[in-house]
């Protein structure tokens, strides 16, 4: 596959990368998406979809919906909780591996080539285009889309986002009784 040149190489198979690949492929652009993990891959982060996101994607996402979001509860250190009841569905919880894979399936159906287990280790930019370099192959293209996350290789290699401040976040997924979810 390294000898084939793509119009666009998308690095990262999350919602941003999958959506970019899908939208471009639908317009006849020759797209390759590279994902560092084996697909579908587990992700603990960002397990919620808003109505706006569902409307922007404009295809049936209901197969990955877990729970409707109709209210929320906010508290600081467990004190003085505030419950907000929206009176209607404002979003859904999802499992990221399922959501991401559903979007990638749409991209593939539109013509995107997907290669998993390909970690981009370097990027080469030139007036002739770009090369996404993995440990195994080089993937030449005209345009490179960095969708490999806030700490991704692509942005770092091309000098983007080096001025920003970073914050530490800890995430976990816990099993809770259905009565608590209600």
């Amino acid at each position: 596959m390294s000898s084939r040149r793509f119009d666009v190489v998308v690095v990262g198979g999350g919602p941003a990368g999958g959506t970019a690949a899908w939208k471009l492929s639908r317009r006849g652009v020759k797209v390759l998406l590279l994902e560092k993990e084996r697909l579908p891959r587990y992700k603990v982060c960002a397990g919620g979809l808003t109505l706006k996101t569902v409307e922007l994607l404009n295809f049936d996402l209901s197969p990955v919906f877990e729970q409707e979001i109709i209210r929320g509860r906010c508290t600081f250190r467990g004190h003085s909780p505030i419950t907000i009841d929206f009176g209607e569905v404002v979003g859904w919880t999802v499992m990221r591996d399922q959501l991401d894979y559903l979007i990638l399936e749409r991209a593939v159906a539109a013509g995107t080539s997907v290669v998993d287990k390909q970690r981009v280790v370097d990027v080469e930019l030139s007036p002739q285009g770009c090369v996404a370099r993995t440990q195994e192959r080089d993937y030449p293209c005209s345009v490179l889309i960095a969708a490999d996350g806030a700490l991704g290789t692509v942005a770092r290699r091309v000098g983007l986002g080096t001025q920003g401040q970073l914050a530490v976040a800890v995430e976990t997924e816990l099993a809770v009784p259905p009565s608590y979810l209600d």
Side-chain angles (χ1 to χ4, degrees):
M1 186 175 290
S2 62
S3 62
R4 183 176 174 198
R5 184 178 178 88
F6 291 88
D7 298 323
V8 176
V9 170
V10 178
V11 180
T19 301
W22 171 61
K23 288 191 174 259
L24 289 167
S25 289
R26 286 177 58 206
R27 288 175 170 74
V29 177
K30 191 168 31 171
V31 179
L32 171 69
L33 185 140
L34 299 173
E35 168 56 44
K36 68 181 175 182
E37 304 292 337
R38 176 183 293 276
L39 294 167
R41 50 60 179 137
Y42 176 79
K43 295 281 281 186
V44 73
C45 61
L49 287 178
T50 64
L51 284 171
K52 180 179 180 181
T53 301
V54 171
E55 290 168 2
L56 283 171
L57 284 174
N58 196 26
F59 65 82
D60 184 17
L61 293 166
S62 65
V64 299
F65 293 167
E66 296 278 328
Q67 294 269 330
E68 292 179 340
I69 300 170
I70 56 172
R71 66 181 161 274
R73 187 175 194 180
C74 299
T75 183
F76 180 68
R77 295 185 179 169
H79 301 290
S80 306
I82 298 171
T83 300
I84 302 166
D85 191 332
F86 300 105
E88 62 184 353
V89 176
V90 295
W92 294 266
T93 61
V94 296
M95 296 299 295
R96 274 288 305 278
D97 57 341
Q98 295 172 24
L99 171 66
D100 297 1
Y101 202 64
L102 180 65
I103 297 170
L104 287 178
E105 287 177 326
R106 284 294 186 134
V108 168
T112 297
S113 299
V114 175
V115 180
D116 64 356
K117 299 190 310 180
Q118 290 290 305
R119 179 184 298 271
V120 173
V121 295
D122 201 7
V123 174
E124 181 182 311
L125 304 177
S126 74
Q128 292 75 38
C130 312
V131 175
R133 187 161 286 126
T134 70
Q135 290 181 330
E136 297 177 27
R137 295 183 180 154
D138 288 352
Y139 296 93
C141 58
S142 299
V143 174
L144 187 70
I145 295 178
D148 54 343
L151 301 176
T153 300
V154 178
R156 199 171 51 249
R157 290 290 188 201
V158 299
L160 297 174
T162 57
Q163 313 310 21
Q165 295 181 353
L166 296 178
V168 176
V170 177
E171 300 175 28
T172 189
E173 187 174 303
L174 302 170
V176 296
S179 60
Y180 185 79
L181 291 176
D182 290 339

